Amino acid sequence: MSENKRNQELGMHCAITRRDFLNGVAVGAGGLLAADPLLATLVAEETAPEKAAGYYPPALTGMSGNHDDFGGHAKRNEFQAGGRTLLSYGGTQSIESPGNYSDVANDLLAELGIQTERFYKAYDQKLYDKLGTAAFFDKEKFGVDRLVIGMNVTPWPEFLAQAPLSDTVRRDIARVYTERVDYLPGLSKEEKLAKLGKISYAEYLLKHCKLAPEALSFFQTFTHDLFCLGIDAVSARACYEAGDDYRSFTYPGFDGLEFPEHEKEEPYIFHFPDGNATVARLLVRALIPGAVPGETMDDVVTARADYSKLDKADSALRIRLNSTVVHVQHERGAKAEKEVEVAYVRGGNLATVQAKKCVLACYNGMIPYLCPELPEKQKEALAYLVKAPLVYTHVALRNWTSFHKLGVHQVVAPAGYHTYTALDFPVSLGQYRFPSNPEEPMVLFMLRTPCRPGLPPRDQHRAGRMELMQTPFTTFERNIRDQLARMLRGGGFDAARDIEGITVNRWAHGYAFTPNALFDPDWKEEEKPWVIGRKRFGSIAIANSDAGADAYTNVAIDQAHRAAAELAEGRS
């Protein structure tokens, strides 16, 4: 079949909603502006688009703008499909394990009116009970396209017998999943953990579990979601300790090591329909009265924000969107009450604002460029914190009958362009109702992590960032349509007919830097680059989850609290 004919068959020509975001900013804005006279006029006049009547950011309407919405990685995606609004998350997914949150973080959630116990009812934990996990083996890597249903529940020999793998690979994968063998004999539990922390999971499977090398491709991308790296660059200990929040797979090889049972974790259910964008919306509601109507965690889900209220001169607090900070410095010879000058670009113009104190809660790796007067040691530490890139793709479907017919709600694709695909989290809250009937429209989540196996992690992340910045949207769309068509063919899926919208959220600077035991030094506390990097500099403090070296909402809250406290107390 010719490429043009295949594109036609996949629906590349179809008139659907297409949205593309790089680090939360609309890509390809020119075409969108040309189609919207209001925004074209606003930009031409270099005014603030968010002050226009009816403004709604690109994540929600398809309009364009730089830093168009509040929330950062906690970005809201909206779709119109099947005559209704569907919500999903463009970045930060969930309030993970709130039982482990600090008092500071939990107090903030409570102050915002977030009652995490409500999710035990709001999240339908039984909806997908009769739908399982499948593995998709693609012809490019495995010689033939084949979707194998029943992963993790069908006995491994039986499951693998359907996979396009050699007999040796099938036997080896089944063996490490089913046998209880101590692959690290003669070592104490503490010594085993230490050993696992010094070798990659790939090395553990090869050298200790004696897995055939060609079997590694089945496991290689298991670590993509949580670590943004393959198993060649993640320690075996990290895999043992982390597991998978989605329960789409398990890491074999540890059952015979005589480790104690893992403590039971809280379920992965603390999820608003738009992810933690709701947390950001609740923050704005609390800080700027009237900006987000309503009073509860229920009504905020469908509330429409009034962006015209964010930046009013008579407000005690102002949020200025579509403004990119380019320089921060202490004013020379300034009066005590005006110590910091912040320069930013807005509507093509350079503007400045003065403040007594300033918190830089942005990507920490950018701070040396924004604030070049920082001490060299601090700039060097901040530059070490390279974020991990990843892509959260969301696809609005006409319905999800193909998944229902196949009996699956998630698919692991070991060598796929997107390595994980799943029906969205089944959460109903307030007036928002999740599409629980297969005949209803649905949002599909697809994950891509642009890894470069063989390179050190930070170099992999840099290379992946370049890929995300250079890849045309059409490449994403073609791969999305092609992969879904091939994976779901047995369920009657038709990419041209069934896809109603695609939003690609490219996070070139995604997860916060997290130390990797295989590549980073075993720093003392005071030597850790994120600790050195976040040190207060005069009237400038530094926050963001980067400052805590962990990509979680509670870490960002804790670091914000620390930074504000440092400035309030005037300490370093």
Side-chain angles (χ1 to χ4, degrees):
M1 182 184 298
S2 70
E3 188 71 9
N4 286 340
K5 187 173 181 180
R6 178 60 174 166
N7 286 340
Q8 284 284 116
E9 184 180 79
L10 291 173
M12 291 292 290
H13 62 290
C14 291
I16 65 165
T17 302
R18 294 174 172 88
R19 296 173 185 144
D20 191 9
F21 297 96
L22 176 61
N23 296 323
V25 178
V27 180
L32 294 175
L33 287 174
D36 194 312
L38 169 64
L39 279 189
T41 301
L42 288 170
V43 172
E45 295 178 356
E46 296 184 333
T47 58
E50 73 276 6
K51 292 187 177 181
Y55 173 81
Y56 221 39
L60 314 180
T61 66
M63 294 192 282
S64 74
N66 191 27
H67 303 279
D68 51 58
D69 203 1
F70 48 78
H73 283 187
K75 193 167 187 67
R76 178 180 172 109
N77 286 168
E78 289 186 7
F79 292 92
Q80 296 298 321
R84 62 160 294 179
T85 298
L86 297 175
L87 301 179
S88 198
Y89 52 94
T92 314
Q93 274 185 354
S94 302
I95 301 170
E96 184 164 358
S97 303
N100 295 328
Y101 273 30
S102 67
D103 289 342
V104 166
N106 271 319
D107 286 349
L108 177 63
L109 296 187
E111 186 177 345
L112 296 178
I114 297 174
Q115 303 168 23
T116 55
E117 67 275 9
R118 293 276 311 285
F119 288 101
Y120 283 93
K121 183 177 180 180
Y123 190 109
D124 189 345
Q125 298 184 64
K126 296 182 178 180
L127 180 62
Y128 299 145
D129 275 357
K130 295 182 179 179
L131 305 179
T133 303
F136 177 66
F137 299 88
D138 62 87
K139 62 185 177 183
E140 290 83 0
K141 179 67 177 180
F142 299 99
V144 64
D145 284 344
R146 188 168 299 166
L147 185 75
V148 183
I149 299 166
M151 186 170 168
N152 306 317
V153 292
T154 303
W156 281 103
E158 182 181 335
F159 173 82
L160 293 166
Q162 305 172 65
L165 304 169
S166 70
D167 289 341
T168 298
V169 169
R170 289 171 179 162
R171 283 195 300 268
D172 265 12
I173 294 175
R175 173 177 58 80
V176 294
Y177 266 117
T178 57
E179 69 180 6
R180 294 181 61 87
V181 172
D182 186 348
Y183 295 116
L184 298 174
L187 299 181
S188 67
K189 291 183 178 64
E190 292 74 19
E191 290 170 335
K192 288 176 182 177
L193 285 173
K195 178 70 174 178
L196 293 175
K198 294 178 181 178
I199 59 175
S200 70
Y201 185 55
E203 181 179 347
Y204 177 66
L205 291 175
L206 284 174
K207 294 186 177 180
H208 297 275
C209 302
K210 305 301 181 183
L211 194 74
E214 56 268 31
L216 285 184
S217 58
F218 179 71
F219 302 100
Q220 176 64 24
T221 60
F222 277 16
T223 46
H224 276 200
D225 174 58
L226 189 58
F227 300 97
C228 294
L229 295 164
I231 61 171
D232 57 299
V234 178
S235 76
R237 178 171 180 171
C239 294
Y240 164 71
E241 293 177 342
D244 176 45
D245 288 330
Y246 307 138
R247 299 182 180 178
S248 61
F249 64 84
T250 56
Y251 292 105
F254 301 117
D255 289 347
L257 298 185
E258 299 181 350
F259 289 145
E261 291 285 330
H262 284 295
E263 291 185 15
K264 187 175 181 180
E265 297 181 348
E266 294 174 277
Y268 196 66
I269 61 170
F270 307 103
H271 177 88
F272 286 100
D274 60 358
N276 284 3
T278 285
V279 179
R281 287 158 64 83
L282 287 169
L283 277 167
V284 171
R285 170 189 279 177
L287 294 169
I288 305 179
V292 182
E295 298 178 348
T296 69
M297 64 180 277
D298 294 74
D299 58 34
V300 73
V301 175
T302 52
R304 186 179 178 91
D306 184 348
Y307 289 85
S308 69
K309 295 183 182 296
L310 298 184
D311 191 13
K312 287 192 171 295
D314 59 352
S315 177
L317 185 142
R318 301 166 70 177
I319 298 175
R320 184 159 295 171
L321 303 180
N322 301 295
S323 304
T324 304
V325 173
V326 294
H327 193 75
V328 179
Q329 68 176 17
H330 289 95
E331 289 193 296
R332 303 290 181 250
K335 295 180 180 179
E337 69 272 16
K338 299 289 185 181
E339 291 191 359
V340 182
E341 180 179 76
V342 178
Y344 61 96
V345 174
R346 181 175 175 80
N349 294 325
L350 182 67
T352 60
V353 64
Q354 287 74 38
K356 292 181 180 180
K357 302 178 189 298
C358 171
V359 177
L360 293 176
C362 56
Y363 168 32
N364 282 191
M366 289 298 297
I367 293 176
Y369 303 98
L370 299 177
C371 189
E373 66 177 346
L374 284 174
E376 289 302 317
K377 182 179 180 181
Q378 188 170 3
K379 289 193 288 186
E380 181 180 338
L382 288 165
Y384 193 89
L385 308 177
V386 179
K387 280 182 176 284
L390 71 164
V391 180
Y392 276 11
T393 294
H394 285 97
V395 183
L397 302 181
R398 186 172 63 94
N399 57 53
W400 51 285
T401 56
S402 56
F403 283 84
H404 190 258
K405 290 176 181 176
L406 289 168
V408 301
H409 72 94
Q410 58 185 358
V411 181
V412 175
Y417 189 79
H418 289 82
T419 56
Y420 177 73
T421 300
L423 300 175
D424 208 353
F425 296 105
V427 183
S428 297
L429 200 60
Q431 294 183 2
Y432 184 79
R433 288 291 172 264
F434 184 81
S436 57
N437 188 317
E439 298 290 343
E440 295 180 285
M442 168 67 80
V443 175
L444 196 62
F445 168 59
M446 303 181 76
L447 170 79
R448 174 169 175 76
T449 303
C451 300
R452 293 293 183 275
L455 295 176
R458 292 189 303 143
D459 289 340
Q460 288 201 44
H461 298 335
R462 292 186 181 105
R465 179 195 313 160
M466 291 304 298
E467 176 189 313
L468 295 191
M469 295 175 71
Q470 295 173 353
T471 304
F473 181 84
T474 51
T475 299
F476 281 104
E477 180 176 353
R478 178 60 160 74
N479 279 286
I480 291 163
R481 289 179 176 277
D482 181 64
Q483 185 171 347
L484 290 178
R486 291 159 61 183
M487 288 195 308
L488 306 175
R489 182 184 298 116
F493 182 83
D494 184 314
R497 179 195 64 205
D498 294 336
I499 293 176
E500 296 201 2
I502 296 174
T503 296
V504 177
N505 299 280
R506 321 180 192 203
W507 298 105
H509 303 286
Y511 290 164
F513 167 85
T514 302
N516 187 317
L518 301 181
F519 297 90
D520 296 314
D522 184 15
W523 294 291
K524 296 178 181 178
E525 180 66 21
E526 66 276 9
E527 297 173 341
K528 294 174 178 177
W530 58 96
V531 173
I532 297 171
R534 72 188 184 208
K535 183 178 175 64
R536 181 176 65 84
F537 177 62
S539 297
I540 300 171
I542 294 172
N544 191 288
S545 62
D546 293 354
D550 220 353
Y552 291 93
T553 296
N554 58 308
V555 176
I557 295 170
D558 290 340
Q559 292 305 316
H561 182 267
R562 171 199 52 77
E566 288 176 357
L567 291 178
E569 298 170 10
R571 63 179 174 82
S572 59

